[in-house]
Amino acid sequence: MAEIENVIIVGSGPAGYTAALYTARANLHPLVIEGFAWGGLLQQTTDVENYPGFPEGIMGPEMMQRFRDQAERFGAKLLTDDVTRIELASEPGGVHSVWVGDDEHRARTVVLAMGAEHKKLCVPGEQELGGRGVSYCATCDAAFFRDASTVIVGGGGSAMEEAIFLSKFASKVTIVHRRDDFRASKIMLERARERENIEFLTPYVVTEFVAGENGALGHATLQNAQTGEERELPISGAFVAIGHEPQSGLVAGQVDLDENGYVITHDGSTRTNRAGVFAAGDLVDHTYRQAITAAGTGCQAALDAEWYLRDTPEVPTPEGMPEGDLAEAQWAPPARGQAVGQLSESGGPAA
């Protein structure tokens, strides 16, 4: 029978690695099953300029490597493989099982941090020009398209928000949508229409992204959804804003999901409807979807897991776990001669 871990974290990215850092510092020795595509969506991002603490910006993959290294430094165990099945206990104190192929890993708590994937258009050139003109986050990348001609593909509220934000940088923003009517609210449409450099092009769909002479995005091929007429639109930036797909399939039918597949958490916490199971990051967030908000919920999930392990009568408190206020214990400096996270002689956190 597999050893029972204190914490298994499924997924990585800012949420997963932050949860790993906090639980590792609490002497819980978390097992992080980070996936082959570890690091999440930031692995597909070039310059990150909106994460505090990096005034000169940082490349997305480098940032995720730092997150990963920091979690590992404090004792997180990393397994670079994909989870194939999860079986969650239903009662407090129950042991959860997470499979990687035929290998079963068991834990008293599980942090779900599988994230969400951008919905793709799945047209020629989209994948090849990712990071070279094709993006999925104007909030992240708009500053790279100052005074440029750009498009937003989509018709929902998020597409309008992306267009309005992008219009502060780009010289022209064309919103391309397959229908004449929009899913966005009336007020969001009005705000977008009020921007002088935002135009609407309907009913059109993008059929291809084409590179220019410099290898970056040069134009998009569009097709009228009613007549079939094609046209080329010269652009240097394209933002696909047609939604996200939370990667919740592994726990569907076990934890509560909303109508879009996002995991539902309760009472302003990261707790799910299953005792000892917590969810963080883009798996629960269909509003903000930023690296810093994902990291914040990763911290919350770690603290929620720690409190569950300490305060649930059916669970034996892990040896070496800090006592008292765990939020304060995370930041308690080690006493002279003690290692980080080591308890003082009184049994409390090192001060």
Side-chain angles (χ1 to χ4, degrees):
M1 186 64 68
E3 173 190 357
I4 300 179
E5 306 281 354
N6 293 314
V7 185
I8 288 179
I9 297 166
V10 182
S12 49
Y17 289 138
T18 301
L21 170 63
Y22 270 72
T23 51
R25 293 197 71 230
N27 296 324
L28 294 177
H29 313 289
L31 171 62
V32 185
I33 308 178
E34 58 182 356
F36 286 118
W38 62 267
L41 292 177
L42 279 176
Q43 289 284 25
Q44 307 168 26
T45 305
T46 52
D47 292 281
V48 178
E49 295 188 329
N50 58 358
Y51 198 93
F54 298 95
E56 305 302 322
I58 185 171
M59 299 292 284
E62 180 186 355
M63 185 180 194
M64 283 299 89
Q65 185 66 60
R66 292 192 182 192
F67 270 65
R68 189 175 189 260
D69 291 345
Q70 190 173 9
E72 194 170 27
R73 173 194 167 198
F74 286 100
K77 299 172 289 186
L78 305 179
L79 175 56
T80 308
D81 210 329
D82 290 328
V83 170
T84 53
R85 182 161 63 100
I86 298 176
E87 185 176 317
L88 300 174
S90 57
E91 300 297 329
V95 176
H96 311 286
S97 294
V98 180
W99 275 268
V100 175
D102 294 330
D103 297 330
E104 180 186 8
H105 302 271
R106 307 169 74 222
R108 301 196 183 278
T109 64
V110 173
V111 174
L112 303 173
M114 294 90 77
E117 292 289 334
H118 298 290
K119 289 184 179 178
K120 306 293 197 301
L121 295 173
C122 299
V123 300
E126 181 178 14
Q127 181 176 347
E128 294 81 359
L129 291 169
R132 292 189 293 154
V134 176
S135 175
Y136 301 88
C137 179
T139 307
C140 310
D141 297 335
F144 302 117
F145 296 91
R146 292 182 185 276
D147 302 320
S149 182
T150 62
V151 299
I152 294 281
V153 183
S158 294
M160 298 306 124
E161 290 182 6
E162 295 270 276
I164 292 168
F165 187 86
L166 181 59
S167 69
K168 300 175 183 178
F169 301 88
S171 59
K172 181 179 179 181
V173 179
T174 302
I175 298 176
V176 176
H177 187 46
R178 60 186 175 179
R179 293 189 294 268
D180 290 326
D181 57 324
F182 295 86
R183 290 180 291 106
S185 66
K186 181 179 179 181
I187 189 170
M188 288 304 301
L189 272 173
E190 290 176 350
R191 288 175 180 172
R193 294 188 191 280
E194 288 172 356
R195 305 290 296 189
E196 293 183 356
N197 60 338
I198 293 181
E199 297 182 0
F200 290 79
L201 183 58
T202 63
Y204 277 87
V205 295
V206 174
T207 58
E208 185 178 13
F209 291 112
V210 181
E213 293 182 359
N214 61 356
L217 178 62
H219 75 266
T221 301
L222 309 180
Q223 184 180 63
N224 188 297
Q226 296 177 353
T227 67
E229 171 199 0
E230 287 195 345
R231 60 181 291 183
E232 291 184 358
L233 186 65
I235 52 171
S236 56
F239 294 83
V240 180
I242 58 174
H244 292 74
E245 293 181 348
Q247 303 299 290
S248 57
L250 286 167
V251 292
Q254 299 187 75
V255 301
D256 291 339
L257 308 177
D258 69 12
E259 64 275 12
N260 296 311
Y262 290 89
V263 174
I264 296 173
T265 54
H266 300 281
D267 303 323
S269 72
T270 64
R271 296 191 301 272
T272 69
N273 61 300
R274 292 289 182 123
V277 180
F278 310 91
D282 287 358
L283 188 65
V284 303
D285 178 12
H286 45 71
T287 304
Y288 302 103
R289 297 191 295 267
Q290 300 298 304
I292 190 167
T293 52
T297 58
C299 166
Q300 290 176 283
L303 293 173
D304 285 338
E306 293 167 26
W307 288 324
Y308 174 86
L309 290 169
R310 184 192 63 186
D311 298 333
T312 303
E314 297 87 348
V315 176
T317 302
E319 183 179 353
M321 190 176 184
E323 297 179 1
D325 188 330
L326 288 167
E328 293 181 1
Q330 291 293 341
W331 302 105
R336 186 169 301 175
Q338 287 184 309
V340 172
Q342 183 179 340
L343 298 180
S344 66
E345 292 181 1
S346 65

